[in-house]
């Protein structure tokens, strides 16, 4: 009787990053965030808990499992070590140059055939909404004009003006905006292939439903 049992090694789970995760931190993903609160809650959870208990901070989804990393710096993952990357509403929190570096870092750490999927607010749709409201207002006699449509402009500049605050996000304000054309070109410039706009929750990445909580402009590319 063969009493020797061969050790069977468990299959390796794919390494999937959810960059700029915020409160969306599903299991099966490495949920990465660079905000000060993510740092506090992941490195000193007892202090974060205490500050919540005292009532200084509101409760947070960031916790010991959150992977703290400032993605504006060099990323801590090795070349070609990651299977897939998802970024929901994060790229627009970087300047154009920083964003291009972020895409290059994604390309560096993804394995060949690995997929990057980004969801961003659609700049074209944003200004289309503004123009629709502007033209509709302009059709009316001036006595009926209101400043309703200026809320788009206000939103744009309020979001874009960057003033990081202590213990809030490192980059909670938008620093750039993308449309389908510019986002596609940005991924291609960072060497991604098969770059295309995708439908909500339809992806080459497994289990996308757990990280993709909202629809918007979504583009995917493959590391060659
Ligand atoms: C609008 S939230 C998006 C949260 C979530 N992904 C979602 O889809 O709702 C943007 C997140 O990006 C993170 N972030 C912004 N700049 C970052 C940076 N330089 N490094 C790491 N995370 C960053 C913020 O802390 C924030 O949690």
């Amino acid at each position: 009787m063969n009493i020797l049992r061969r050790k069977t090694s468990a299959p390796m789970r794919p390494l999937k990053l959810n960059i700029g995760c915020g409160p969306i931190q599903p299991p099966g993903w490495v949920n990465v965030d660079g905000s000060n609160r993510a740092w506090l809650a992941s490195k000193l959870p007892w202090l974060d808990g205490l500050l919540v208990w005292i009532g200084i901070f509101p409760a947070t989804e960031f916790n010991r499992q959150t992977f703290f990393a400032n993605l504006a710096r060099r990323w801590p993952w090795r070349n070609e070590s990651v299977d897939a990357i998802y970024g929901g509403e994060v790229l627009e929190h970087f300047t154009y140059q920083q964003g291009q570096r972020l895409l290059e870092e994604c390309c560096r750490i993804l394995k060949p055939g690995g997929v990057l999927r980004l969801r961003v607010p659609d700049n074209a749709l944003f200004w289309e909404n503004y123009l629709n409201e502007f033209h509709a207002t302009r059709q009316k006699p001036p006595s009926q004009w209101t400043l309703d449509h200026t809320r788009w402009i206000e939103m744009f500049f309020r979001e874009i003006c960057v003033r990081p605050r202590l213990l809030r996000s490192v980059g909670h304000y938008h620093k750039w905006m993308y449309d389908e054309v510019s986002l596609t070109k940005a991924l291609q410039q960072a060497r991604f292939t098969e770059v295309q706009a995708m439908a909500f929750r339809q992806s080459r990445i497994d289990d996308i439903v757990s990280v993709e909580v909202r629809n918007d402009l979504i583009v995917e590319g493959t590391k060659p």
Side-chain angles (χ1 to χ4, degrees), residues 164-215:
R165 277 187 256 158
L166 190 68
L167 289 171
R168 286 202 56 193
S169 159
V170 284
H172 209 75
Y173 298 84
H174 297 178
K175 296 175 186 163
W176 197 256
M177 293 284 276
Y178 295 84
D179 51 41
E180 187 180 336
V181 174
S182 57
L183 188 56
T184 301
K185 295 310 294 175
L187 263 74
Q188 286 171 343
Q189 242 179 308
R191 294 198 303 115
F192 283 93
T193 58
E194 298 168 16
V195 181
Q196 63 184 109
M198 302 292 289
F200 180 51
R201 291 184 160 181
Q202 284 178 20
S203 178
R204 285 167 254 165
I205 303 175
D206 279 346
D207 189 32
I208 202 67
V209 291
S210 61
V211 273
E212 194 151 88
V213 294
R214 275 181 297 278
N215 195 3

Side-chain angles (χ1 to χ4, degrees), residues 13-202:
R13 287 178 65 190
L15 177 55
K16 297 187 293 183
L17 307 184
N18 173 22
I19 57 172
C21 63
I24 320 293
Q25 302 188 36
W29 292 78
V30 175
N31 298 300
V32 183
D33 206 278
S35 63
N36 294 331
R37 190 67 191 276
W39 182 88
L40 186 67
S42 61
K43 308 280 184 201
L44 301 172
W46 59 270
L47 179 57
D48 191 80
L50 183 68
L51 294 169
V52 172
W53 188 71
I54 296 169
I56 292 180
F57 290 154
T60 175
E61 275 85 0
F62 294 126
N63 58 64
R64 210 183 277 277
Q65 271 79 46
T66 308
F67 190 108
F68 173 81
N70 182 351
L71 301 171
R73 307 222 173 105
R74 189 178 162 82
W75 293 18
W77 296 276
R78 283 182 291 109
N79 293 356
E80 306 196 344
S81 59
V82 171
D83 294 275
I85 303 175
Y86 180 78
E89 285 179 44
V90 65
L91 186 63
E92 71 277 10
H93 293 260
F94 293 75
T95 63
Y96 179 75
Q97 282 79 10
Q98 287 174 334
Q100 213 51 52
R101 262 210 63 231
L102 179 149
L103 297 175
E104 284 160 15
E105 283 293 86
C106 289
C107 200
R108 178 182 70 76
I109 66 169
L110 275 171
K111 295 175 184 170
V115 175
L116 168 67
R117 181 180 177 94
L118 294 170
R119 175 174 58 81
V120 296
D122 188 343
N123 196 31
L125 186 65
F126 186 89
W127 288 114
E128 198 176 297
N129 286 333
Y130 162 74
L131 281 175
N132 285 342
E133 205 160 9
F134 170 73
H135 289 306
T137 305
R138 200 139 177 269
Q139 296 291 311
K140 297 177 190 165
S143 59
Q144 289 177 25
W145 289 357
T146 71
L147 282 176
D148 274 359
H149 72 284
T150 59
R151 74 170 185 272
W152 297 102
I153 299 179
E154 192 207 339
M155 222 191 295
F156 191 75
F157 287 104
R158 192 161 24 86
E159 296 290 289
I160 237 173
C161 289
V162 181
R163 216 161 357 102
R165 277 187 256 158
L166 190 68
L167 289 171
R168 286 202 56 193
S169 159
V170 284
H172 209 75
Y173 298 84
H174 297 178
K175 296 175 186 163
W176 197 256
M177 293 284 276
Y178 295 84
D179 51 41
E180 187 180 336
V181 174
S182 57
L183 188 56
T184 301
K185 295 310 294 175
L187 263 74
Q188 286 171 343
Q189 242 179 308
R191 294 198 303 115
F192 283 93
T193 58
E194 298 168 16
V195 181
Q196 63 184 109
M198 302 292 289
F200 180 51
R201 291 184 160 181
Q202 284 178 20

